[in-house]
Coordinates of all heavy atoms in Angstrom, one line a residue:
E1 N 125.8 136.6 24.5 CA 125.1 135.5 23.9 C 126.1 134.4 23.6 O 126.6 133.9 24.6 CB 124.3 136.0 22.6 CG 123.3 137.1 22.9 CD 122.6 137.7 21.7 OE1 123.1 137.4 20.6 OE2 121.6 138.3 21.8
D2 N 126.3 134.0 22.4 CA 127.2 132.9 22.2 C 128.6 133.4 21.6 O 129.4 132.6 21.1 CB 126.6 131.9 21.2 CG 125.5 131.1 21.8 OD1 125.5 130.9 23.0 OD2 124.6 130.8 21.0
H3 N 128.8 134.7 21.7 CA 129.9 135.3 21.1 C 131.0 135.7 22.1 O 130.7 136.4 23.1 CB 129.5 136.6 20.3 CG 130.6 137.1 19.4 ND1 130.7 136.7 18.1 CD2 131.6 138.0 19.6 CE1 131.8 137.3 17.5 NE2 132.3 138.1 18.5
L4 N 132.2 135.1 22.0 CA 133.3 135.4 23.0 C 133.8 136.8 22.7 O 134.3 137.1 21.6 CB 134.4 134.4 22.8 CG 135.6 134.6 23.7 CD1 135.3 134.4 25.2 CD2 136.7 133.6 23.3
I5 N 133.7 137.7 23.7 CA 134.1 139.1 23.5 C 135.4 139.4 24.3 O 136.0 140.5 24.1 CB 133.0 140.1 23.8 CG1 132.5 139.9 25.3 CG2 131.8 139.9 22.9 CD1 131.5 141.0 25.7
G6 N 135.8 138.6 25.3 CA 136.9 138.9 26.1 C 137.1 138.0 27.3 O 136.4 137.0 27.4
F7 N 138.0 138.4 28.1 CA 138.3 137.6 29.3 C 138.6 138.5 30.5 O 139.1 139.7 30.3 CB 139.6 136.7 29.1 CG 139.5 135.7 28.1 CD1 139.7 136.0 26.8 CD2 139.1 134.4 28.4 CE1 139.6 135.0 25.8 CE2 139.0 133.4 27.4 CZ 139.3 133.7 26.1
S8 N 138.2 138.1 31.7 CA 138.7 138.8 32.9 C 139.6 137.9 33.7 O 139.4 136.7 33.7 CB 137.5 139.2 33.8 OG 136.6 138.1 34.0
Q9 N 140.6 138.5 34.4 CA 141.6 137.7 35.1 C 141.9 138.2 36.4 O 142.1 139.5 36.6 CB 142.9 137.6 34.2 CG 144.0 136.8 34.9 CD 145.2 136.5 34.0 OE1 146.0 135.8 34.3 NE2 145.2 137.2 32.8
S10 N 141.9 137.4 37.4 CA 142.2 137.8 38.8 C 143.4 137.0 39.2 O 143.4 135.7 39.2 CB 141.0 137.5 39.7 OG 141.4 137.8 41.0
N11 N 144.5 137.7 39.7 CA 145.7 137.0 40.1 C 145.9 137.3 41.6 O 146.1 138.5 42.0 CB 146.9 137.5 39.3 CG 148.2 136.9 39.7 OD1 148.3 135.9 40.3 ND2 149.3 137.7 39.5
G12 N 146.0 136.3 42.4 CA 146.2 136.5 43.9 C 147.4 135.7 44.3 O 147.6 134.5 43.9
H13 N 148.2 136.2 45.2 CA 149.3 135.4 45.8 C 148.8 134.6 47.0 O 148.4 135.1 48.0 CB 150.4 136.4 46.3 CG 151.6 135.7 46.9 ND1 152.8 135.8 46.3 CD2 151.8 134.9 47.9 CE1 153.7 135.1 47.0 NE2 153.1 134.5 48.0
W14 N 148.7 133.3 46.8 CA 148.3 132.4 47.8 C 149.4 132.2 48.8 O 150.6 132.0 48.4 CB 147.9 131.0 47.2 CG 146.6 131.1 46.4 CD1 145.9 132.3 46.1 CD2 145.9 130.1 45.7 NE1 144.8 132.0 45.3 CE2 144.8 130.6 45.1 CE3 146.2 128.7 45.6 CZ2 143.9 129.8 44.3 CZ3 145.3 127.9 44.9 CH2 144.2 128.5 44.2
S15 N 149.1 132.1 50.1 CA 150.2 132.1 51.1 C 151.0 130.8 51.1 O 152.1 130.8 51.7 CB 149.5 132.3 52.5 OG 148.6 131.4 52.7
D16 N 150.4 129.7 50.5 CA 151.2 128.5 50.5 C 150.7 127.6 49.4 O 149.5 127.5 49.1 CB 151.0 127.7 51.8 CG 151.9 126.5 51.9 OD1 153.0 126.6 52.3 OD2 151.4 125.4 51.6
L17 N 151.6 127.0 48.6 CA 151.3 126.1 47.5 C 151.9 124.8 47.8 O 152.2 124.0 46.8 CB 151.8 126.7 46.2 CG 150.7 127.4 45.3 CD1 149.7 126.4 44.8 CD2 150.1 128.6 46.0
G18 N 152.2 124.4 49.0 CA 152.9 123.2 49.3 C 154.4 123.3 49.2 O 154.9 124.4 49.5
G19 N 155.1 122.3 48.8 CA 156.5 122.4 48.7 C 157.2 122.0 50.1 O 156.5 121.6 51.0
S20 N 158.5 122.2 50.1 CA 159.3 121.7 51.2 C 159.2 122.6 52.5 O 159.6 122.1 53.6 CB 160.7 121.5 50.8 OG 161.2 122.7 50.2
V21 N 158.8 123.9 52.4 CA 158.8 124.7 53.5 C 157.5 125.5 53.6 O 156.9 125.8 52.5 CB 160.0 125.7 53.6 CG1 161.3 124.9 53.6 CG2 160.0 126.6 52.4
P22 N 157.1 126.0 54.8 CA 155.9 126.8 54.8 C 156.1 128.1 54.0 O 157.1 128.7 54.1 CB 155.8 127.1 56.3 CG 156.5 126.0 57.0 CD 157.6 125.6 56.1
G23 N 155.1 128.4 53.2 CA 155.1 129.6 52.4 C 155.7 129.3 51.0 O 155.6 130.1 50.1
S24 N 156.2 128.1 50.8 CA 156.7 127.6 49.5 C 157.9 128.3 48.9 O 158.1 128.4 47.7 CB 155.5 127.6 48.5 OG 154.3 127.0 49.0
F25 N 158.7 128.9 49.8 CA 159.9 129.6 49.3 C 161.1 128.9 50.0 O 161.6 129.3 51.0 CB 159.9 131.1 49.8 CG 159.1 132.0 49.0 CD1 157.7 132.0 49.1 CD2 159.7 132.9 48.1 CE1 156.9 132.9 48.4 CE2 158.9 133.8 47.3 CZ 157.5 133.8 47.4
D26 N 161.6 127.9 49.3 CA 162.8 127.2 49.8 C 164.0 127.6 49.0 O 164.1 127.3 47.8 CB 162.6 125.7 49.6 CG 163.7 124.9 50.2 OD1 164.8 125.4 50.5 OD2 163.6 123.6 50.3
V27 N 164.8 128.5 49.6 CA 165.9 129.1 48.8 C 166.9 128.0 48.3 O 167.7 128.3 47.3 CB 166.7 130.2 49.6 CG1 165.7 131.3 49.9 CG2 167.3 129.6 50.9
A28 N 166.9 126.9 48.9 CA 167.9 125.8 48.5 C 167.3 125.0 47.3 O 168.1 124.1 46.8 CB 168.2 124.9 49.7
A29 N 166.1 125.2 46.9 CA 165.5 124.4 45.8 C 166.2 124.8 44.5 O 166.4 125.9 44.2 CB 164.0 124.7 45.7
R30 N 166.6 123.7 43.8 CA 167.2 123.9 42.5 C 166.2 123.6 41.4 O 166.4 124.1 40.3 CB 168.4 123.0 42.3 CG 169.6 123.3 43.3 CD 170.8 122.6 42.9 NE 171.9 122.7 43.9 CZ 173.1 122.4 43.7 NH1 173.5 122.0 42.5 NH2 174.0 122.6 44.6
E31 N 165.2 122.8 41.7 CA 164.2 122.5 40.7 C 162.8 122.8 41.3 O 162.7 122.8 42.6 CB 164.3 121.1 40.3 CG 165.6 120.8 39.5 CD 165.7 119.4 39.0 OE1 165.1 118.5 39.6 OE2 166.3 119.1 37.9
M32 N 161.8 122.9 40.5 CA 160.5 123.3 41.0 C 159.8 122.3 41.9 O 158.9 122.6 42.6 CB 159.6 123.5 39.7 CG 159.4 122.3 38.9 SD 157.8 122.2 38.0 CE 156.7 121.7 39.3
F33 N 160.3 121.1 42.0 CA 159.6 120.0 42.7 C 159.6 120.2 44.2 O 158.8 119.7 44.9 CB 160.2 118.6 42.3 CG 160.3 118.4 40.8 CD1 161.5 118.4 40.2 CD2 159.2 118.3 40.1 CE1 161.6 118.2 38.8 CE2 159.3 118.1 38.7 CZ 160.5 118.1 38.1
R34 N 160.5 121.1 44.7 CA 160.5 121.5 46.1 C 159.7 122.8 46.3 O 159.6 123.2 47.5 CB 161.9 121.6 46.6 CG 162.6 120.3 46.7 CD 164.1 120.4 47.1 NE 164.3 121.1 48.4 CZ 165.5 121.2 48.9 NH1 166.6 120.8 48.3 NH2 165.6 121.8 50.1
E35 N 159.2 123.4 45.3 CA 158.7 124.8 45.4 C 157.2 124.7 45.7 O 156.6 125.7 46.2 CB 158.9 125.6 44.2 CG 160.4 125.9 43.9 CD 160.6 126.8 42.7 OE1 160.5 126.3 41.6 OE2 160.9 128.0 43.0
G36 N 156.5 123.7 45.2 CA 155.0 123.7 45.4 C 154.4 123.2 44.1 O 155.0 122.6 43.2
M37 N 153.1 123.4 44.1 CA 152.2 122.8 43.0 C 152.2 123.7 41.8 O 152.0 124.9 41.8 CB 150.8 122.7 43.5 CG 149.9 122.0 42.5 SD 148.2 121.9 43.1 CE 148.5 120.9 44.5
R38 N 152.5 123.1 40.6 CA 152.5 123.8 39.3 C 151.1 123.5 38.8 O 150.7 122.3 38.5 CB 153.6 123.2 38.4 CG 153.5 123.8 37.0 CD 154.5 123.1 36.1 NE 154.6 123.7 34.8 CZ 155.2 123.1 33.7 NH1 155.8 121.9 33.9 NH2 155.2 123.7 32.6
I39 N 150.3 124.5 38.5 CA 148.9 124.4 38.0 C 148.9 124.8 36.5 O 149.0 126.0 36.2 CB 147.9 125.2 38.8 CG1 148.0 124.9 40.3 CG2 146.5 125.0 38.2 CD1 147.1 125.8 41.1
T40 N 148.9 123.8 35.6 CA 148.7 124.1 34.2 C 147.2 124.4 34.0 O 146.4 124.1 34.9 CB 149.2 123.0 33.4 OG1 148.5 121.8 33.8 CG2 150.7 122.8 33.5
P41 N 146.8 124.9 32.9 CA 145.4 125.4 32.8 C 144.4 124.3 33.1 O 144.4 123.2 32.5 CB 145.3 125.8 31.3 CG 146.6 126.2 30.9 CD 147.6 125.3 31.7
I42 N 143.5 124.6 34.1 CA 142.4 123.6 34.5 C 141.1 124.4 34.7 O 141.2 125.6 34.9 CB 142.8 122.9 35.8 CG1 143.0 123.8 36.9 CG2 144.0 121.9 35.6 CD1 143.1 123.2 38.3
R43 N 140.0 123.7 34.7 CA 138.7 124.3 35.0 C 138.5 124.2 36.5 O 138.6 123.2 37.1 CB 137.6 123.6 34.2 CG 137.3 124.0 32.8 CD 136.0 123.4 32.4 NE 135.6 123.9 31.0 CZ 135.9 123.2 29.9 NH1 136.6 122.1 30.0 NH2 135.6 123.7 28.7
L44 N 138.1 125.3 37.1 CA 137.6 125.3 38.4 C 136.1 125.6 38.5 O 135.4 125.2 39.5 CB 138.3 126.4 39.3 CG 139.7 126.1 39.7 CD1 140.3 127.2 40.5 CD2 139.8 124.8 40.5
F45 N 135.5 126.2 37.4 CA 134.1 126.3 37.3 C 133.8 125.8 35.8 O 134.4 126.3 34.9 CB 133.6 127.7 37.5 CG 133.6 128.2 38.9 CD1 134.8 128.6 39.4 CD2 132.5 128.2 39.7 CE1 134.9 129.1 40.7 CE2 132.6 128.7 41.0 CZ 133.8 129.1 41.5

């Protein structure tokens, strides 16, 4: 009804999040800006 009772969470490894190399694993990256997209909490639905 209107009562929050819990949360369900699904975590999947996405094959690419952008960044400087395919797969988003650039071993030479020193900061996150070459690694891909950082998603802080957002609504998708």
